[in-house]
Coordinates of all heavy atoms in Angstrom, one line a residue:
M10 N -71.5 0.4 30.1 CA -71.9 0.8 28.8 C -72.0 -0.4 27.9 O -71.2 -1.4 28.0 CB -70.7 1.7 28.3 CG -70.8 1.9 26.8 SD -69.6 3.0 26.0 CE -68.1 2.7 26.8
K11 N -73.0 -0.4 27.1 CA -73.2 -1.5 26.1 C -73.2 -0.9 24.7 O -73.9 0.1 24.4 CB -74.5 -2.2 26.3 CG -74.8 -3.3 25.3 CD -76.1 -4.0 25.5 CE -76.2 -5.1 24.5 NZ -77.5 -5.8 24.6
I12 N -72.3 -1.4 23.9 CA -72.2 -0.9 22.5 C -73.2 -1.8 21.7 O -73.1 -3.0 21.6 CB -70.8 -1.1 22.0 CG1 -69.8 -0.3 22.8 CG2 -70.7 -0.6 20.5 CD1 -68.4 -0.6 22.6
E13 N -74.2 -1.1 21.1 CA -75.2 -1.8 20.3 C -74.8 -2.0 18.8 O -75.1 -2.9 18.2 CB -76.5 -1.1 20.4 CG -77.1 -1.1 21.8 CD -78.4 -0.4 21.9 OE1 -78.8 0.2 21.0 OE2 -79.0 -0.5 23.0
S14 N -74.0 -1.0 18.3 CA -73.6 -1.1 16.9 C -72.4 -0.2 16.7 O -72.2 0.8 17.5 CB -74.7 -0.8 15.9 OG -75.0 0.6 16.0
I15 N -71.6 -0.5 15.7 CA -70.5 0.4 15.3 C -70.6 0.7 13.8 O -71.1 -0.2 13.1 CB -69.1 -0.1 15.7 CG1 -68.8 -1.4 15.0 CG2 -69.0 -0.2 17.2 CD1 -67.4 -1.8 15.1
T16 N -70.4 1.9 13.4 CA -70.3 2.2 12.0 C -68.9 2.5 11.6 O -68.3 3.4 12.3 CB -71.2 3.4 11.6 OG1 -72.5 3.2 12.0 CG2 -71.2 3.8 10.2
V17 N -68.3 1.8 10.7 CA -66.9 2.0 10.3 C -66.9 2.5 8.9 O -67.4 1.8 8.0 CB -66.1 0.7 10.5 CG1 -64.6 0.9 10.2 CG2 -66.3 0.1 11.9
Q18 N -66.3 3.7 8.7 CA -66.2 4.3 7.4 C -64.8 4.8 7.1 O -64.2 5.4 8.0 CB -67.1 5.4 7.2 CG -68.6 5.1 7.3 CD -69.4 6.3 7.3 OE1 -69.4 7.1 8.2 NE2 -70.2 6.5 6.2
G19 N -64.2 4.4 6.0 CA -62.9 4.9 5.6 C -61.7 4.5 6.5 O -60.6 5.0 6.4
F20 N -61.9 3.5 7.3 CA -60.9 3.0 8.2 C -60.4 1.7 7.7 O -61.1 0.8 7.5 CB -61.5 2.8 9.6 CG -60.5 2.4 10.7 CD1 -59.6 3.3 11.3 CD2 -60.4 1.1 11.0 CE1 -58.7 2.9 12.2 CE2 -59.5 0.6 12.0 CZ -58.6 1.6 12.6
R21 N -59.1 1.7 7.5 CA -58.4 0.5 6.9 C -59.1 -0.1 5.7 O -59.2 0.7 4.7 CB -58.2 -0.6 8.0 CG -57.3 0.0 9.1 CD -56.8 -1.1 10.0 NE -55.8 -0.5 11.0 CZ -54.8 -1.2 11.4 NH1 -54.6 -2.4 11.0 NH2 -54.0 -0.6 12.2
C22 N -59.6 -1.3 5.7 CA -60.2 -1.8 4.5 C -61.7 -1.4 4.3 O -62.2 -1.7 3.2 CB -60.2 -3.4 4.5 SG -61.2 -4.1 5.8
F23 N -62.2 -0.6 5.1 CA -63.6 -0.1 5.0 C -63.6 1.2 4.1 O -62.9 2.1 4.4 CB -64.3 0.2 6.3 CG -64.5 -1.0 7.2 CD1 -63.6 -1.4 8.1 CD2 -65.7 -1.8 7.0 CE1 -63.8 -2.6 8.9 CE2 -65.9 -2.9 7.7 CZ -65.0 -3.3 8.7
D24 N -64.5 1.2 3.1 CA -64.5 2.4 2.2 C -65.3 3.5 2.8 O -65.8 3.3 3.9 CB -64.9 2.0 0.8 CG -66.3 1.4 0.7 OD1 -67.1 1.5 1.7 OD2 -66.7 0.9 -0.3
A25 N -65.5 4.5 2.0 CA -66.3 5.7 2.5 C -67.8 5.3 2.8 O -68.4 6.0 3.6 CB -66.2 6.8 1.5
T26 N -68.3 4.3 2.1 CA -69.6 3.9 2.3 C -69.8 3.3 3.7 O -70.7 3.5 4.4 CB -70.1 2.9 1.2 OG1 -69.9 3.5 0.0 CG2 -71.5 2.4 1.4
G27 N -68.8 2.5 4.0 CA -68.7 1.9 5.4 C -69.7 0.8 5.6 O -70.4 0.3 4.7
E28 N -69.7 0.3 6.8 CA -70.5 -0.8 7.2 C -71.0 -0.5 8.6 O -70.3 0.0 9.4 CB -69.7 -2.1 7.3 CG -69.3 -2.6 6.0 CD -70.4 -3.2 5.1 OE1 -71.4 -3.7 5.8 OE2 -70.3 -3.2 3.9
I29 N -72.2 -0.9 8.9 CA -72.8 -0.9 10.3 C -72.7 -2.3 10.8 O -73.2 -3.3 10.2 CB -74.3 -0.4 10.3 CG1 -74.3 1.0 9.8 CG2 -74.8 -0.5 11.7 CD1 -75.8 1.5 9.6
I30 N -72.1 -2.5 11.9 CA -71.9 -3.8 12.6 C -72.8 -3.8 13.8 O -72.5 -3.0 14.7 CB -70.5 -4.1 12.9 CG1 -69.6 -4.1 11.6 CG2 -70.3 -5.5 13.6 CD1 -68.1 -4.1 11.9
H31 N -73.8 -4.6 13.8 CA -74.7 -4.7 15.0 C -74.1 -5.7 16.0 O -73.6 -6.8 15.6 CB -76.1 -5.1 14.6 CG -76.7 -4.1 13.7 ND1 -77.3 -3.0 14.1 CD2 -76.8 -4.1 12.3 CE1 -77.8 -2.3 13.1 NE2 -77.5 -2.9 12.0
L32 N -74.1 -5.3 17.2 CA -73.5 -6.2 18.3 C -74.5 -6.6 19.3 O -75.5 -5.9 19.6 CB -72.4 -5.4 19.0 CG -71.3 -4.8 18.1 CD1 -70.4 -3.9 18.9 CD2 -70.5 -5.9 17.5
D33 N -74.4 -7.9 19.8 CA -75.3 -8.4 20.8 C -74.5 -8.7 22.1 O -73.4 -8.2 22.2 CB -75.9 -9.8 20.3 CG -76.8 -9.5 19.1 OD1 -77.6 -8.6 19.2 OD2 -76.8 -10.3 18.1
D34 N -75.0 -9.4 23.0 CA -74.3 -9.7 24.2 C -73.0 -10.6 24.0 O -72.0 -10.5 24.7 CB -75.2 -10.5 25.2 CG -76.2 -9.5 25.7 OD1 -76.1 -8.3 25.7 OD2 -77.3 -10.1 26.2
F35 N -73.0 -11.4 22.9 CA -71.9 -12.2 22.6 C -71.7 -12.1 21.1 O -72.6 -12.2 20.3 CB -72.1 -13.7 23.0 CG -70.9 -14.6 22.6 CD1 -69.8 -14.6 23.4 CD2 -71.0 -15.4 21.5 CE1 -68.8 -15.4 23.1 CE2 -69.9 -16.2 21.2 CZ -68.8 -16.2 22.0
N36 N -70.5 -11.8 20.6 CA -70.2 -11.6 19.2 C -69.0 -12.4 18.7 O -68.1 -12.6 19.5 CB -70.0 -10.1 18.9 CG -71.2 -9.3 19.3 OD1 -72.2 -9.3 18.5 ND2 -71.2 -8.7 20.4
C37 N -69.0 -12.8 17.5 CA -67.9 -13.5 16.9 C -67.8 -13.0 15.4 O -68.8 -13.0 14.7 CB -68.2 -15.0 16.9 SG -66.8 -16.0 16.2
F38 N -66.6 -12.5 15.0 CA -66.4 -12.1 13.7 C -65.9 -13.3 12.9 O -64.8 -13.8 13.2 CB -65.4 -10.9 13.6 CG -66.0 -9.6 14.2 CD1 -65.1 -8.7 14.7 CD2 -67.3 -9.4 14.2 CE1 -65.5 -7.5 15.2 CE2 -67.7 -8.2 14.8 CZ -66.9 -7.2 15.2
V39 N -66.6 -13.7 11.9 CA -66.2 -14.8 11.0 C -66.3 -14.3 9.6 O -67.2 -13.7 9.2 CB -67.2 -16.0 11.2 CG1 -66.8 -17.1 10.3 CG2 -67.3 -16.4 12.7
G40 N -65.2 -14.7 8.8 CA -65.2 -14.4 7.4 C -63.9 -14.7 6.8 O -62.9 -15.1 7.5
P41 N -63.8 -14.6 5.5 CA -62.6 -15.0 4.8 C -61.5 -14.0 5.1 O -61.7 -12.9 5.6 CB -62.9 -14.9 3.3 CG -64.1 -14.1 3.2 CD -64.8 -14.2 4.6
N42 N -60.2 -14.3 4.7 CA -59.1 -13.4 4.9 C -59.4 -12.1 4.2 O -60.1 -12.1 3.1 CB -57.9 -14.0 4.3 CG -57.3 -15.2 5.2 OD1 -57.7 -15.3 6.3 ND2 -56.5 -16.0 4.6
A43 N -59.0 -11.0 4.7 CA -59.1 -9.6 4.2 C -60.6 -9.2 4.1 O -60.9 -8.4 3.2 CB -58.5 -9.6 2.8
S44 N -61.5 -9.7 5.0 CA -62.9 -9.3 4.9 C -63.2 -8.2 5.9 O -64.3 -7.7 6.0 CB -63.8 -10.5 5.2 OG -63.5 -11.0 6.5
G45 N -62.2 -7.8 6.8 CA -62.4 -6.7 7.7 C -62.5 -7.1 9.2 O -62.8 -6.3 10.0
K46 N -62.3 -8.3 9.5 CA -62.4 -8.8 10.9 C -61.4 -8.0 11.8 O -61.8 -7.4 12.8 CB -62.2 -10.3 11.0 CG -63.1 -11.2 10.2 CD -62.8 -12.6 10.4 CE -61.4 -13.0 10.0 NZ -61.2 -13.0 8.5
T47 N -60.2 -8.0 11.5 CA -59.2 -7.3 12.2 C -59.4 -5.8 12.2 O -59.3 -5.1 13.3 CB -57.7 -7.7 11.7 OG1 -57.5 -9.1 11.9 CG2 -56.7 -6.9 12.5
A48 N -59.8 -5.3 11.1 CA -60.0 -3.8 11.0 C -61.2 -3.4 11.9 O -61.1 -2.3 12.5 CB -60.3 -3.5 9.5
A49 N -62.2 -4.2 12.0 CA -63.3 -3.9 12.9 C -62.9 -3.9 14.4 O -63.2 -3.0 15.1 CB -64.5 -4.9 12.7
M50 N -62.0 -4.9 14.7 CA -61.5 -4.9 16.1 C -60.5 -3.8 16.4 O -60.5 -3.2 17.4 CB -60.8 -6.2 16.3 CG -61.7 -7.5 16.2 SD -63.1 -7.4 17.4 CE -62.2 -7.5 19.0
M51 N -59.8 -3.4 15.4 CA -58.9 -2.2 15.5 C -59.6 -0.9 15.7 O -59.3 -0.1 16.5 CB -57.9 -2.1 14.3 CG -56.8 -3.2 14.3 SD -55.8 -3.2 15.8 CE -55.0 -1.6 15.7
A52 N -60.8 -0.8 15.0 CA -61.6 0.4 15.1 C -62.1 0.5 16.6 O -62.1 1.5 17.1 CB -62.8 0.3 14.2
L53 N -62.6 -0.7 17.1 CA -63.0 -0.7 18.5 C -61.9 -0.3 19.4 O -62.1 0.5 20.4 CB -63.6 -2.1 18.9 CG -64.9 -2.4 18.3 CD1 -65.3 -3.9 18.5 CD2 -66.0 -1.5 18.9
S54 N -60.7 -0.8 19.2 CA -59.6 -0.5 20.0 C -59.2 1.0 20.0 O -58.9 1.6 21.0 CB -58.3 -1.4 19.6 OG -57.2 -1.0 20.4
R55 N -59.3 1.5 18.8 CA -58.9 3.0 18.6 C -60.0 3.9 19.3 O -59.6 4.9 19.8 CB -58.9 3.3 17.1 CG -57.8 2.7 16.3 CD -56.5 3.2 16.6 NE -55.5 2.9 15.7 CZ -54.6 1.9 15.8 NH1 -54.5 1.3 16.9 NH2 -53.7 1.6 14.8
M56 N -61.2 3.4 19.4 CA -62.2 4.2 20.1 C -62.2 4.0 21.6 O -62.4 4.9 22.4 CB -63.6 3.8 19.6 CG -63.8 4.3 18.1 SD -64.0 6.0 18.0 CE -62.5 6.5 17.3
F57 N -62.0 2.7 22.1 CA -62.3 2.4 23.4 C -61.1 1.7 24.1 O -61.2 1.2 25.2 CB -63.5 1.4 23.6 CG -64.7 2.0 23.0 CD1 -65.2 1.5 21.7 CD2 -65.4 3.0 23.6 CE1 -66.3 2.1 21.2 CE2 -66.5 3.5 23.0 CZ -67.0 3.1 21.8
G58 N -59.9 1.8 23.6 CA -58.7 1.2 24.2 C -58.4 1.7 25.6 O -58.7 2.9 25.9
E59 N -57.9 0.9 26.4 CA -57.6 1.3 27.8 C -56.4 2.3 27.9 O -56.5 3.2 28.7 CB -57.3 0.1 28.6 CG -58.5 -0.8 28.9 CD -58.1 -2.0 29.8 OE1 -57.2 -1.9 30.6 OE2 -58.8 -3.0 29.7
S60 N -55.4 2.1 27.1 CA -54.3 3.0 27.2 C -54.3 4.0 26.0 O -55.0 3.9 25.0 CB -53.0 2.2 27.1 OG -52.8 1.7 25.8
K61 N -53.5 5.1 26.2 CA -53.5 6.2 25.2 C -52.9 5.6 23.9 O -53.3 5.9 22.8 CB -52.6 7.3 25.7 CG -52.5 8.4 24.7 CD -51.7 9.6 25.3 CE -51.7 10.8 24.4 NZ -51.0 11.9 24.9
G62 N -51.9 4.6 24.0 CA -51.3 4.0 22.9 C -52.4 3.2 22.0 O -52.3 3.2 20.8
Q63 N -53.3 2.6 22.7 CA -54.3 1.8 22.0 C -55.3 2.7 21.3 O -55.9 2.3 20.3 CB -55.1 0.9 23.0 CG -54.3 -0.2 23.6 CD -55.0 -1.0 24.7 OE1 -55.9 -0.4 25.4 NE2 -54.7 -2.2 24.9
R64 N -55.4 3.9 21.8 CA -56.3 4.9 21.2 C -55.6 5.8 20.1 O -56.3 6.7 19.6 CB -57.0 5.7 22.2 CG -57.9 4.9 23.2 CD -58.7 5.8 24.1 NE -57.8 6.7 24.9 CZ -57.2 6.4 26.1 NH1 -57.4 5.2 26.6 NH2 -56.5 7.3 26.7
Q65 N -54.4 5.5 19.9 CA -53.6 6.4 19.0 C -54.1 6.1 17.5 O -54.2 5.0 17.0 CB -52.1 6.0 19.0 CG -51.2 6.9 18.1 CD -51.2 8.3 18.5 OE1 -51.1 8.7 19.6 NE2 -51.4 9.2 17.5
V66 N -54.4 7.2 16.9 CA -54.9 7.1 15.5 C -53.8 7.6 14.6 O -53.2 8.6 14.8 CB -56.2 8.1 15.4 CG1 -56.7 8.1 13.9 CG2 -57.3 7.6 16.3
N67 N -53.6 6.8 13.5 CA -52.6 7.1 12.6 C -53.2 7.4 11.2 O -54.2 6.8 10.8 CB -51.6 5.9 12.4 CG -51.1 5.5 13.7 OD1 -50.4 6.3 14.4 ND2 -51.2 4.3 14.1
P68 N -52.6 8.4 10.5 CA -53.1 8.6 9.1 C -53.1 7.4 8.2 O -54.0 7.2 7.4 CB -52.1 9.7 8.5 CG -51.6 10.4 9.7 CD -51.5 9.3 10.8
S69 N -52.2 6.4 8.4 CA -52.2 5.2 7.6 C -53.4 4.3 7.9 O -53.6 3.3 7.2 CB -50.9 4.4 7.9 OG -50.8 4.0 9.2
D70 N -54.2 4.6 9.0 CA -55.4 3.8 9.3 C -56.5 4.1 8.3 O -57.6 3.4 8.3 CB -55.9 4.0 10.7 CG -54.9 3.4 11.8 OD1 -54.3 2.4 11.5 OD2 -54.9 4.0 12.9
F71 N -56.4 5.2 7.6 CA -57.5 5.7 6.8 C -57.2 5.8 5.3 O -56.1 5.8 4.9 CB -57.9 7.2 7.3 CG -58.4 7.2 8.7 CD1 -57.5 7.3 9.7 CD2 -59.7 7.0 9.0 CE1 -57.9 7.3 11.1 CE2 -60.1 6.9 10.3 CZ -59.2 7.1 11.3
H72 N -58.3 5.8 4.5 CA -58.2 5.9 3.1 C -58.0 7.4 2.8 O -58.9 8.2 2.9 CB -59.5 5.5 2.4 CG -59.7 4.0 2.4 ND1 -59.0 3.1 1.6 CD2 -60.4 3.2 3.2 CE1 -59.4 1.9 1.8 NE2 -60.2 1.9 2.8
L73 N -56.8 7.9 2.4 CA -56.5 9.3 2.2 C -56.0 9.3 0.7 O -55.1 8.6 0.3 CB -55.5 9.8 3.1 CG -55.9 9.8 4.6 CD1 -54.7 10.2 5.5 CD2 -57.1 10.7 4.9
T74 N -56.5 10.4 0.0 CA -55.9 10.6 -1.3 C -54.6 11.2 -1.2 O -54.3 11.8 -0.2 CB -56.9 11.4 -2.2 OG1 -57.0 12.7 -1.5 CG2 -58.2 10.8 -2.4
P75 N -53.7 11.1 -2.3 CA -52.4 11.7 -2.2 C -52.5 13.2 -1.8 O -53.3 13.9 -2.4 CB -51.8 11.4 -3.6 CG -52.5 10.2 -4.0 CD -53.9 10.3 -3.5
G76 N -51.8 13.6 -0.9 CA -51.8 15.0 -0.4 C -52.9 15.4 0.6 O -52.8 16.4 1.2
E77 N -53.8 14.4 0.8 CA -54.9 14.7 1.8 C -54.3 14.4 3.2 O -53.6 13.4 3.4 CB -56.1 13.8 1.5 CG -57.3 14.0 2.4 CD -58.4 13.1 2.1 OE1 -58.3 12.1 1.3 OE2 -59.5 13.3 2.6
N78 N -54.7 15.2 4.2 CA -54.2 15.1 5.5 C -55.4 14.7 6.4 O -56.5 15.2 6.2 CB -53.6 16.4 6.1 CG -52.3 16.7 5.4 OD1 -51.5 15.8 5.1 ND2 -52.1 18.0 5.1
L79 N -55.1 13.9 7.4 CA -56.1 13.5 8.4 C -56.3 14.7 9.4 O -55.4 15.1 10.0 CB -55.7 12.3 9.2 CG -56.6 11.8 10.3 CD1 -58.0 11.4 9.7 CD2 -56.0 10.7 11.1
V80 N -57.5 15.3 9.3 CA -57.8 16.5 10.1 C -58.2 16.2 11.5 O -57.7 16.6 12.5 CB -58.8 17.4 9.5 CG1 -59.2 18.6 10.3 CG2 -58.3 17.8 8.1
S81 N -59.2 15.3 11.7 CA -59.6 14.8 13.0 C -60.4 13.6 12.9 O -60.9 13.2 11.8 CB -60.5 15.9 13.6 OG -61.7 16.1 12.9
V82 N -60.6 12.9 14.0 CA -61.4 11.7 14.1 C -62.5 12.0 15.1 O -62.3 12.6 16.1 CB -60.6 10.5 14.5 CG1 -61.4 9.3 14.7 CG2 -59.5 10.3 13.5
H83 N -63.7 11.5 14.8 CA -64.9 11.8 15.7 C -65.5 10.5 16.2 O -65.5 9.5 15.4 CB -65.9 12.6 15.1 CG -65.4 14.0 14.6 ND1 -65.2 15.0 15.4 CD2 -65.1 14.4 13.3 CE1 -64.8 16.0 14.7 NE2 -64.7 15.7 13.5
R84 N -66.0 10.5 17.4 CA -66.8 9.3 17.8 C -68.1 9.9 18.4 O -68.0 10.9 19.1 CB -66.1 8.4 18.7 CG -65.8 9.0 20.1 CD -65.1 8.0 20.9 NE -64.6 8.6 22.2 CZ -64.0 8.0 23.1 NH1 -63.8 6.7 23.0 NH2 -63.6 8.5 24.2
A85 N -69.2 9.3 18.2 CA -70.5 9.7 18.8 C -70.5 9.0 20.2 O -70.3 7.8 20.2 CB -71.6 9.3 17.9
V86 N -70.9 9.7 21.2 CA -70.9 9.2 22.5 C -72.4 9.3 23.1 O -72.9 10.5 23.1 CB -69.9 9.9 23.4 CG1 -70.0 9.3 24.8 CG2 -68.5 9.7 22.9
A87 N -73.0 8.2 23.5 CA -74.3 8.3 24.0 C -74.3 8.9 25.4 O -73.5 8.5 26.3 CB -74.9 7.0 24.0
G88 N -75.1 9.9 25.6 CA -75.3 10.5 26.9 C -76.6 10.0 27.5 O -77.2 9.1 26.9
K89 N -77.1 10.6 28.5 CA -78.4 10.2 29.1 C -79.5 10.3 28.1 O -80.3 9.3 27.9 CB -78.7 11.0 30.3 CG -77.8 10.7 31.5 CD -78.3 11.3 32.7 CE -77.4 10.9 33.8 NZ -78.1 10.9 35.1
D90 N -79.7 11.4 27.4 CA -80.8 11.5 26.5 C -80.3 12.2 25.1 O -81.1 12.6 24.4 CB -81.9 12.4 27.0 CG -82.6 11.8 28.2 OD1 -82.8 10.5 28.2 OD2 -82.9 12.5 29.2
K91 N -79.0 12.2 24.9 CA -78.5 12.8 23.7 C -77.2 12.2 23.2 O -76.6 11.5 24.0 CB -78.4 14.3 23.9 CG -77.4 14.7 25.0 CD -77.3 16.2 25.1 CE -76.2 16.5 26.1 NZ -76.0 17.9 26.3
W92 N -76.8 12.5 22.0 CA -75.6 12.1 21.5 C -74.6 13.3 21.4 O -75.1 14.4 21.1 CB -75.7 11.5 20.1 CG -76.4 10.2 20.1 CD1 -77.7 9.9 20.1 CD2 -75.7 8.9 20.2 NE1 -77.9 8.5 20.2 CE2 -76.7 7.9 20.2 CE3 -74.4 8.5 20.2 CZ2 -76.4 6.6 20.2 CZ3 -74.1 7.2 20.2 CH2 -75.1 6.2 20.2
G93 N -73.4 13.1 21.7 CA -72.4 14.2 21.6 C -71.3 13.7 20.7 O -71.3 12.5 20.3
T94 N -70.4 14.5 20.3 CA -69.3 14.2 19.5 C -68.0 14.6 20.2 O -67.9 15.7 20.7 CB -69.3 14.9 18.1 OG1 -70.6 14.5 17.5 CG2 -68.2 14.5 17.2
E95 N -67.0 13.6 20.2 CA -65.7 13.9 20.7 C -64.7 13.9 19.6 O -64.8 13.1 18.7 CB -65.3 12.9 21.7 CG -66.1 12.9 23.0 CD -65.6 11.8 23.9 OE1 -64.4 11.5 24.0 OE2 -66.4 11.2 24.6
S96 N -63.8 14.8 19.6 CA -62.7 14.8 18.6 C -61.4 14.5 19.3 O -61.1 14.9 20.4 CB -62.5 16.2 18.0 OG -63.7 16.6 17.3
F97 N -60.6 13.7 18.6 CA -59.3 13.4 19.1 C -58.4 12.9 18.0 O -58.8 12.7 16.9 CB -59.4 12.3 20.2 CG -59.9 10.9 19.7 CD1 -58.9 9.9 19.4 CD2 -61.2 10.7 19.4 CE1 -59.3 8.7 18.9 CE2 -61.6 9.5 18.8 CZ -60.7 8.5 18.6
G98 N -57.1 12.8 18.3 CA -56.1 12.2 17.4 C -55.9 12.9 16.1 O -55.4 12.4 15.2
A99 N -56.0 14.3 16.1 CA -55.7 15.0 14.9 C -54.3 14.8 14.5 O -53.4 14.9 15.4 CB -56.1 16.5 15.1
A100 N -54.0 14.6 13.3 CA -52.6 14.4 12.8 C -52.3 15.5 11.8 O -53.1 16.0 11.1 CB -52.5 13.0 12.3

């Protein structure tokens, strides 16, 4: 599997507008402190981590307004000719 891009929205320091991060064969995240480098890597770990613990999603990972609950997290998964959606980590 090759990941061509990731879209991160509402996760850690990423706001609801989010960012699209395009990936090549070799990537390096460079930027000032608090620019989202670690958050982008954590998003990848939450989606594709090897162990269940690495894929554990916590409400504190997201921008939630007071009283708002994390209902579910989705990821788009490329199939042969279509995209599907998986839900996991509801809290």
Side-chain angles (χ1 to χ4, degrees):
M10 166 178 37
K11 180 178 179 183
I12 302 169
E13 295 179 352
S14 68
I15 60 171
T16 302
V17 184
Q18 295 174 294
F20 183 81
R21 297 196 173 213
C22 66
F23 292 94
D24 63 13
T26 304
E28 292 287 331
I29 298 173
I30 301 169
H31 298 279
L32 304 172
D33 293 316
D34 291 337
F35 180 80
N36 299 280
C37 180
F38 292 154
V39 177
N42 290 342
S44 63
K46 300 179 302 288
T47 300
M50 296 302 295
M51 289 301 298
L53 286 169
S54 178
R55 295 289 194 255
M56 293 288 105
F57 303 105
E59 291 183 25
S60 70
K61 185 175 181 179
Q63 291 172 332
R64 295 185 308 272
Q65 182 65 43
V66 177
N67 303 305
S69 62
D70 287 333
F71 297 89
H72 291 278
L73 301 173
T74 59
E77 183 181 10
N78 293 319
L79 179 62
V80 177
S81 65
V82 176
H83 301 281
R84 68 177 173 180
V86 180
K89 289 190 175 206
D90 294 319
K91 62 181 181 178
W92 286 87
T94 302
E95 294 182 33
S96 297
F97 66 100

